[in-house]
Amino acid sequence: MKKSFFIFLVTIMFITGVATAGSLLTVVVDGDKVKFPDQKPYINQDNRTMVPVRFVSEELGYKVKWESAKKQVTITNGSSSVILTLGSRYMKINGKTEKMDTAATLVSGRTFVPIRFVSQSLDSSIKYDSKTKTISIKQPEPEPTPPPKPTPTPTPTPAPENGTTYTVEKGDTVYSISKRFGIQQADLVSWNGIVNNHIVPGQVLIVGEEALPEKPETDLALSGKVIVVDPGHGGMDSGAIGSDGATKEKTINLAVSKMLQTNLKNLGATVVMTRSADTSCDPGAGDLQDELQCRVDVATEYGADIFVSVHSNWYSSPLQDGSELFYNQFPCDLSEEYCKEGSVNGDPVGSQKLATSIWNELKTVVGSSPRGLDGSTHYYVNRKNSMPSVLVELGYMSNAVELNKLKNPSVQQQFADEIRDGIVNYFK
């Protein structure tokens, strides 16, 4: 680590010695060129290379936490951590204070950090090509992990005389199979001796006495579509807290979103997540509006066909329950927060169609709230997006019964399956 750090430090000193403040820098990580949608890397007045902190979290895989009150950004990688304060030339490396020759700074609402701090927490190699003004960062190969022990394939249960069987395919779940054949999950589990809802491709299941229905034409139904999935909240913003006083909304949102991501990928879609871990979309965001705008920017940058934001609800009454689904049809009231320009979604007709398609599938999971579909609420991510956009409220965390459902992985998978089916129907 010390040797690699020395090499890294010498490289960065070389880089900053040959690049100029007016240079257009290119950054490559593990062979892939990094796209910077808004603010670009630059050489500051101290002749040091500065990069957006979002690059650190998204491209290098570090965890980034922003504390606005202290104006501090904490970057961690495993057991190592670096704390930088905006405007300060002092940083903490694993608790030890050291002085830098430059400082983290804020540029157009984005936090920039000196790239040399990478050497303090990751054994990376860095090269600089003076002809092309390219910084190449190569991260170390992860330690190989032993292959998992193969899961034994359960012995198929013989079908009853004249009974119907079904061979499990990749992506199938107990829930999706029972729904397709119109049978109870409990019956499917009982008939086939299924343990912990575990099934594997190739396994033959008894699904009833009726004739096998034709398979829906959903294979690769989303090929060529770009879909942004937005797990609500994240990082310092936990969202709502459940009636048990412990469950955080951000955790449920991310779990369902990852299941939805897998579902959509299995149908050929390109899926972009606004966050894939317990982080915010923009760790350097100065306020909530900057964070929400980051999520809109991701959809714009990738040219998304649709945008789906996943949330869990809360209300003062513990009796309130049911799913809700929001889209945006009308300009917001100029007196509302974050509504100075009176914006409206760029495709309100498409948003309504998408919302209706998903709602027709989703409302059966935990039940329907009296509000159901709502096209008049002006959520920022809906009205600021140019493509069809919806915000799904899965259920109420303030309702103890519903919270237990929201925490259940099987129910979470049902949410992901129903939202997927609604999206497929939208594109038909």
Side-chain angles (χ1 to χ4, degrees):
M1 174 65 81
K2 291 183 178 179
K3 181 178 180 182
S4 297
F5 166 61
F6 176 75
I7 295 172
F8 183 94
L9 186 58
V10 170
T11 305
I12 289 299
M13 292 175 66
F14 172 72
I15 291 171
T16 56
V18 297
T20 64
S23 301
L24 183 61
L25 299 175
T26 299
V27 178
V28 177
V29 176
D30 292 335
D32 294 327
K33 182 178 177 181
V34 179
K35 294 182 180 180
F36 295 89
D38 43 26
Q39 299 299 323
K40 314 294 183 185
Y42 69 96
I43 305 298
N44 70 3
Q45 70 277 9
D46 297 317
N47 209 26
R48 293 297 178 220
T49 305
M50 306 293 287
V51 296
V53 75
R54 181 175 176 183
F55 158 78
V56 174
S57 63
E58 293 188 354
E59 301 297 336
L60 299 183
Y62 293 173
K63 293 183 178 179
V64 178
K65 181 174 72 173
W66 168 255
E67 296 184 66
S68 57
K70 297 180 181 180
K71 296 189 181 302
Q72 284 185 342
V73 58
T74 300
I75 302 123
T76 58
N77 180 44
S79 59
S80 301
S81 68
V82 176
I83 301 177
L84 302 101
T85 303
L86 291 183
S88 172
R89 291 176 178 257
Y90 290 90
M91 65 177 178
K92 283 189 176 182
I93 304 175
N94 297 326
K96 183 179 178 181
T97 301
E98 294 191 17
K99 187 175 182 179
M100 303 184 292
D101 54 7
T102 191
T105 187
L106 198 65
V107 178
S108 299
R110 296 288 186 264
T111 301
F112 278 73
V113 295
I115 196 174
R116 64 175 289 184
F117 84 84
V118 175
S119 63
Q120 309 295 333
S121 54
L122 182 65
D123 190 12
S124 301
S125 62
I126 299 183
K127 294 181 180 179
Y128 179 72
D129 188 330
S130 59
K131 294 182 179 179
T132 61
K133 295 184 173 59
T134 300
I135 301 172
S136 298
I137 302 175
K138 182 173 178 57
Q139 302 189 83
E141 296 293 333
E143 291 291 331
T145 55
K149 294 181 180 180
T151 302
T153 302
T155 302
T157 304
E161 187 176 355
N162 299 324
T164 300
T165 60
Y166 172 74
T167 303
V168 177
E169 298 181 357
K170 183 179 180 181
D172 281 337
T173 64
V174 169
Y175 172 73
S176 64
I177 295 173
S178 62
K179 181 183 177 184
R180 179 182 169 194
F181 290 100
I183 58 179
Q184 296 294 320
Q185 290 188 64
D187 289 340
L188 183 63
V189 168
S190 175
W191 294 343
N192 297 279
I194 298 172
V195 179
N196 295 328
N197 287 335
H198 178 68
I199 56 177
V200 295
Q203 182 178 353
V204 179
L205 300 178
I206 299 170
V207 293
E209 299 289 343
E210 301 297 327
L212 186 67
E214 293 185 6
K215 184 176 180 181
E217 296 181 3
T218 56
D219 290 351
L220 300 182
L222 300 177
S223 179
K225 304 301 182 184
V226 179
I227 301 173
V228 169
V229 176
D230 173 39
H233 307 283
M236 296 292 289
D237 179 11
S238 63
I241 302 297
S243 60
D244 59 2
T247 304
K248 298 177 180 178
E249 180 190 352
K250 64 177 181 179
T251 305
I252 294 174
N253 299 345
L254 184 60
V256 174
S257 295
K258 284 187 172 181
M259 293 174 181
L260 177 59
Q261 177 189 29
T262 300
N263 282 352
L264 298 176
K265 281 186 174 181
N266 287 341
L267 295 180
T270 298
V271 184
V272 181
M273 303 282 282
T274 59
R275 66 181 183 94
S276 298
D278 185 16
T279 61
S280 54
C281 175
D282 181 4
D287 56 25
L288 176 60
Q289 183 171 350
D290 286 345
E291 170 64 15
L292 296 175
Q293 185 60 45
C294 172
R295 297 167 192 249
V296 174
D297 289 344
V298 169
T300 302
E301 177 184 347
Y302 284 90
D305 291 295
I306 61 171
F307 180 98
V308 179
S309 188
V310 178
H311 287 254
S312 303
N313 222 332
W314 191 95
Y315 191 63
S316 56
S317 170
L319 301 179
Q320 181 67 48
D321 62 355
S323 297
E324 297 178 56
L325 204 150
F326 298 89
Y327 60 102
N328 176 233
Q329 278 191 307
F330 311 105
C332 56
D333 189 325
L334 295 179
S335 64
E336 294 181 43
E337 189 176 14
Y338 305 139
C339 187
K340 296 179 181 178
E341 75 294 347
S343 59
V344 66
N345 178 266
D347 187 355
V349 175
S351 293
Q352 183 181 30
K353 178 184 175 183
L354 175 62
T356 303
S357 296
I358 294 177
W359 179 249
N360 288 338
E361 304 294 331
L362 181 73
K363 62 185 179 182
T364 61
V365 180
V366 296
S368 171
S369 167
R371 293 176 64 179
L373 276 171
D374 188 335
S376 61
T377 302
H378 309 297
Y379 286 124
Y380 191 93
V381 292
N382 280 345
R383 64 182 176 83
K384 295 291 284 187
N385 266 315
S386 58
M387 73 292 300
S389 174
V390 297
L391 186 147
V392 180
E393 293 281 8
L394 302 172
Y396 279 83
M397 299 179 62
S398 47
N399 182 306
V401 174
E402 204 148 282
L403 176 63
N404 286 333
K405 294 181 180 179
L406 292 170
K407 291 161 59 177
N408 187 325
S410 295
V411 178
Q412 292 174 356
Q413 185 64 58
Q414 290 181 39
F415 278 120
D417 291 349
E418 300 293 8
I419 296 173
R420 172 206 60 200
D421 291 348
I423 291 173
V424 170
N425 290 337
Y426 166 79
F427 281 112
K428 282 184 178 179

